[in-house]
Amino acid sequence: MNVNRDILLFVALALAWGTSFAAIEVGLATLPPILFAAFRFDVAAALFVAAVVALGLEWRPRTRSDLALIAVGGGLVIGAHFALLFVGQSYVSSGVAAIILSLTPIVTPPLALALLPRERIRAPAAVGLLLGLAGVVVIATDGGALGGQAIGVALLFASAVVFALGAVLTARVSGTLPLISLQAWSMAIGAALLHGLSAVHPAESIAAVEWTTAALVALAYLAVVATGGGFLAYFVLLERIGATEISMVNYAVPVVAAVFGWAVLGESLTLATIVGFALIVLGFGLCKIGALWRTVAPVVGYGPHRPSTAAAGVVVKGNVYVTGTDRYAGPAQSAD
C-alpha cells in the first residue's frame, strides 16, 4: 500500500510540474514573462504565509544561517532562476523548456566540486556532464541558424545552472526555521526581486498586462498546484524514498510537458530535440551511476545482503546495521 501511494505521489508530482510548462506557455501569451513569474510567487508566497500562520510555525529568522538560506532561496532559487526560465520559455516550446531544465542534476556536481570542500567528481560524472552539454547544443542548433531557439536554450541553461548553484550554496547550511517558513520568506523575497527586475526591463510594463481568463487560470494553476501541491508532494517523497529516486522526476517532467504541449497546445518535438533529451538522460545516468546502482541492486537480487566479513551486520542501501538491534553502524564500502 505504501509503495502504491509513493507511485501515485510520484506521478502526481510529474504531472503537476510537467503541466506547469504548458501553463507558463498559456500565460506568456498575454503577460510579460518576468512580471508573470512575479505574480506567480505573489500568490504562492501568500499561500505559504497563510500556512505558517495556520500551523503556528516559527517565522522569525534567528541565525545567520537562516538569513543565508533566505537570501539564496529568494535571490537565486526563486528570483534569478524563474526570471531566466520565464524569459527563456518565451523563445521555445514548453517541451523544450522542460528538457533543458532537466539538465539541473548534471550541472550540480561540477559546481559542488568548485565550491564545496572535499567534493570530487568521478570520471563517469565528467563524461555525463559532457553528454548533457552535447544534448543542449543539439537542441540549441536545431534548424541550423542560431536564432531565437538558441537564445531561449541559453537562458534556460543559465536558469538550470542558477538553480543548481543555489542548491550547492545551501548544501552545508542548517537553519532553524521550519521548511514552510523558509519557503514563505524565499518566495516573498523572490517575488519582490522579480517585480524589481520587471520594472527596470525595457520590454516590460504593467500597462502591457492583459488579464484574460486563460491567464488567470494559468496563474492560479502555477501558484496553487505546481508550487503548493508540487512542493508538498516533493518533500513527502524526499523523506519517504530518498534523493536519488526523487531526482528521476526530472526526466518524467519533460515527457509529461512534451505530451501535454502536443495534446493541448499543438506543439511538436523535432528529432534533434528527442536526440538531445536522450543525451541529457544518458548524462544523468552516468552522473548518478553509483546511486542508481544502489537503488536498482536490491531489485535484481544484489541487496540487501550480509557481507561475508561481518556476519553480525546487514548492508541496506549502503549503510551497515547491527543485526538484532537496528543500530546504525556506519556506511558500507562502495565501489562507485
Side-chain angles (χ1 to χ4, degrees):
M1 182 64 70
N2 286 341
V3 173
N4 291 336
R5 185 171 63 182
D6 293 343
I7 292 173
L8 288 175
L9 268 178
F10 186 94
V11 171
L13 178 60
L15 287 172
W17 284 356
T19 53
S20 70
F21 289 90
I24 293 172
E25 198 76 20
V26 170
L28 288 175
T30 57
L31 299 175
I34 302 177
L35 191 57
F36 182 23
F39 289 147
R40 170 183 180 172
F41 287 101
D42 286 338
V43 178
L47 292 175
F48 276 82
V49 168
V52 170
V53 173
L55 296 172
L57 300 176
E58 176 60 51
W59 61 271
R60 290 166 294 185
R62 296 183 178 276
T63 67
R64 290 183 179 180
S65 293
D66 289 337
L67 295 174
L69 289 170
I70 290 170
V72 173
L76 291 180
V77 176
I78 302 296
H81 166 64
F82 281 97
L84 291 165
L85 191 161
F86 276 59
V87 175
Q89 191 172 329
S90 67
Y91 289 92
V92 302
S93 68
S94 61
V96 169
I99 288 171
I100 300 302
L101 263 293
S102 71
L103 193 69
T104 301
I106 299 177
V107 299
T108 301
L111 289 173
L113 176 68
L115 297 174
L116 296 180
R118 296 186 298 277
E119 291 289 332
R120 56 178 177 156
I121 186 168
R122 300 178 185 273
V127 175
L129 174 62
L130 294 177
L131 284 174
L133 293 176
V136 171
V137 172
V138 168
I139 296 171
T141 56
D142 185 18
L146 295 177
Q149 172 97 351
I151 294 173
V153 168
L155 290 169
L156 289 162
F157 175 72
S159 176
V161 171
V162 165
F163 188 91
L165 177 61
V168 169
L169 289 176
T170 58
R172 299 292 177 87
V173 180
S174 298
T176 64
L177 284 176
L179 198 54
I180 294 178
S181 300
L182 175 62
Q183 291 300 317
W185 274 107
S186 297
M187 289 177 186
I189 290 175
L193 177 60
L194 287 165
H195 278 293
L197 290 173
S198 177
V200 300
H201 195 288
E204 295 203 6
S205 69
I206 194 69
V209 174
E210 182 182 348
W211 287 114
T212 64
T213 300
L216 287 170
V217 171
L219 176 62
Y221 185 85
L222 288 169
V224 178
V225 178
T227 304
F231 169 93
L232 177 62
Y234 177 84
F235 283 103
V236 169
L237 283 170
L238 183 63
E239 181 178 357
R240 289 181 56 82
I241 67 177
T244 300
E245 290 87 342
I246 193 60
S247 68
M248 294 304 296
V249 79
N250 288 283
Y251 300 94
V253 165
V255 175
V256 173
V259 171
F260 204 79
W262 167 76
V264 177
L265 304 177
E267 297 177 348
S268 60
L269 286 178
T270 66
L271 178 60
T273 301
I274 295 172
V275 170
F277 180 47
L279 288 171
I280 291 172
V281 171
L282 181 57
F284 169 82
L286 289 172
C287 286
K288 300 289 185 178
I289 190 168
L292 289 174
W293 171 246
R294 288 192 294 272
T295 300
V296 173
V299 178
V300 297
Y302 284 91
H305 64 279
R306 294 179 183 273
S308 58
T309 57
V314 178
V315 179
V316 181
K317 291 186 178 180
N319 294 322
V320 180
Y321 294 82
V322 177
T323 305
T325 66
D326 291 332
R327 180 172 61 84
Y328 176 64
Q333 294 297 317
S334 172
D336 67 321

